[in-house]
Amino acid sequence: MGKRLNRTRPTERHRVDRSYVDHSGAELDIVHQTRWVALAILLSVCATACVAVLFIVDIPVTWHVWAAYLLVIPAVGLLLLSMLFVAKGQGRMTRLPFWMGFGFIVGGIAFDVWATLLQSPDLALEGNMVISALLYTDHDPDFIYVYGLGLQSILCCIMILLWAGFLRHRHAWFADVMNDAPLTYAEFLKATTGGGKLSWRQYIVPGGMSDFLCGYHVLLWTLPPMLVYAAAFRWYAGLDWFEIVPGPYSILGVRMMIGMAAVIFTVFFVWLYREFNTRTTNAHETVQ
């Protein structure tokens, strides 16, 4: 017979400590109550993207016009859902991050619109495919101005509301993440996207409906980098009108866009790592 293995009972020191789970009932209730709102927002974004794809497809220009009209429907729906998303949040919205985001978003959109109207008052040089479709079909310039400014205003409000919603929901989001007791940063990242209760196999290759990620977590995870990138792109587009930066659709411009996205996501992952360390440390100190 082989040598008998020593299977002594692990000591308390070697046991995995999962006692720091955050059972904040109120915050977890917020996650449960807001899931359908978050899912509806994600579906509205997908619907808007599907309509926008029509502008890059080789179809009759009249279809582009109808797509421009239809674009208003998911945009207004997304605006209403964003309002509801903010209202569902119960967390304290810190003023400094909110106003910084507000200024960055509004400033980027306003700068891009101002540069467009300054450099091309008749919108003949406007690269926006929606506006181009309306111009090509001889729509009244006043209508195009009202349509364009109205859609930009809706977009601006949506982005501000989603940023405010993120700030109000972030504590509930992290409370639910810590409720899954992640032991490593990788597990923490998996939990932030709603996969905390899934194995890595289920997370990478879902085997059923129960393996899909939670829409609430997916929305909260995507909001910071996407909003920052969208606002930064508007600043970039405004600078492009003055030929300060390469065109966003040139080879160099695409490289700069990719580089900007890489920087934004790097900062985002660093911020998540800081949150993981801070919340894990605080939870252990609370237990002790």
Side-chain angles (χ1 to χ4, degrees):
M1 295 179 64
K3 185 177 180 180
R4 183 178 180 181
L5 297 177
N6 184 10
R7 299 184 181 275
T8 57
R9 185 178 181 181
T11 63
E12 191 69 28
R13 183 178 181 180
H14 293 92
R15 291 177 188 168
V16 175
D17 181 11
R18 290 182 178 265
S19 58
Y20 62 86
V21 176
D22 185 353
H23 293 288
S24 179
E27 291 179 327
L28 297 183
D29 285 342
I30 294 173
V31 175
H32 179 73
Q33 295 170 5
T34 317
R35 284 183 176 181
W36 71 270
V37 179
L39 181 59
I41 290 175
L42 292 173
L43 292 176
S44 296
V45 171
C46 292
T48 305
C50 290
V51 175
V53 166
L54 295 176
F55 292 98
I56 61 176
V57 179
D58 187 15
I59 56 178
V61 69
T62 53
W63 287 40
H64 289 169
V65 175
W66 281 108
Y69 295 152
L70 290 174
L71 197 59
V72 178
I73 298 175
V76 173
L78 190 54
L79 177 64
L80 298 176
L81 287 170
S82 300
M83 293 179 183
L84 186 57
F85 181 62
V86 175
K88 288 282 186 179
Q90 300 296 322
R92 179 174 174 269
M93 187 168 59
T94 311
R95 291 183 179 180
L96 181 59
F98 171 75
W99 287 113
M100 288 178 62
F102 180 92
F104 192 57
I105 292 169
V106 175
I109 293 177
F111 177 60
D112 185 21
V113 172
W114 171 76
T116 301
L117 298 179
L118 181 67
Q119 298 292 330
S120 180
D122 59 355
L123 303 177
L125 301 178
E126 171 59 43
N128 188 308
M129 290 178 287
V130 180
I131 300 299
S132 298
L134 296 177
L135 286 171
Y136 187 79
T137 50
D138 297 326
H139 278 69
D140 184 73
D142 292 337
F143 171 80
I144 297 176
Y145 266 97
V146 172
Y147 173 88
L149 292 175
L151 210 57
Q152 292 295 330
S153 299
I154 292 175
L155 174 63
C156 185
C157 291
I158 290 172
M159 293 177 66
I160 293 171
L161 287 169
L162 289 178
W163 175 243
F166 169 77
L167 294 177
R168 296 198 67 182
H169 282 272
R170 71 187 189 281
H171 294 301
W173 176 40
F174 282 127
D176 193 61
V177 168
M178 297 308 295
N179 197 51
D180 293 324
L183 299 176
T184 64
Y185 180 53
E187 289 183 354
F188 179 80
L189 286 179
K190 181 161 68 74
T192 56
T193 57
K197 295 179 176 60
L198 304 178
S199 66
W200 283 106
R201 196 276 305 166
Q202 292 172 310
Y203 184 75
I204 298 173
V205 185
M209 292 296 295
S210 60
D211 293 344
F212 284 102
L213 302 179
C214 173
Y216 180 88
H217 291 71
V218 172
L219 178 64
L220 268 294
W221 195 93
T222 55
L223 278 180
M226 292 298 101
L227 289 174
V228 172
Y229 182 85
F233 180 82
R234 300 305 296 269
W235 283 101
Y236 188 95
L239 293 173
D240 177 44
W241 278 107
F242 300 99
E243 299 182 352
I244 298 175
V245 295
Y249 303 110
S250 64
I251 295 178
L252 183 57
V254 170
R255 290 176 179 175
M256 293 187 69
M257 292 294 99
I258 295 174
M260 184 169 64
V263 170
I264 291 172
F265 273 98
T266 299
V267 173
F268 178 60
F269 284 125
V270 170
W271 174 70
L272 285 178
Y273 183 75
R274 177 177 173 273
E275 288 291 331
F276 169 68
N277 280 335
T278 301
R279 292 177 183 274
T280 303
T281 302
N282 291 342
H284 279 299
E285 289 177 353
T286 301
V287 171
Q288 294 174 357

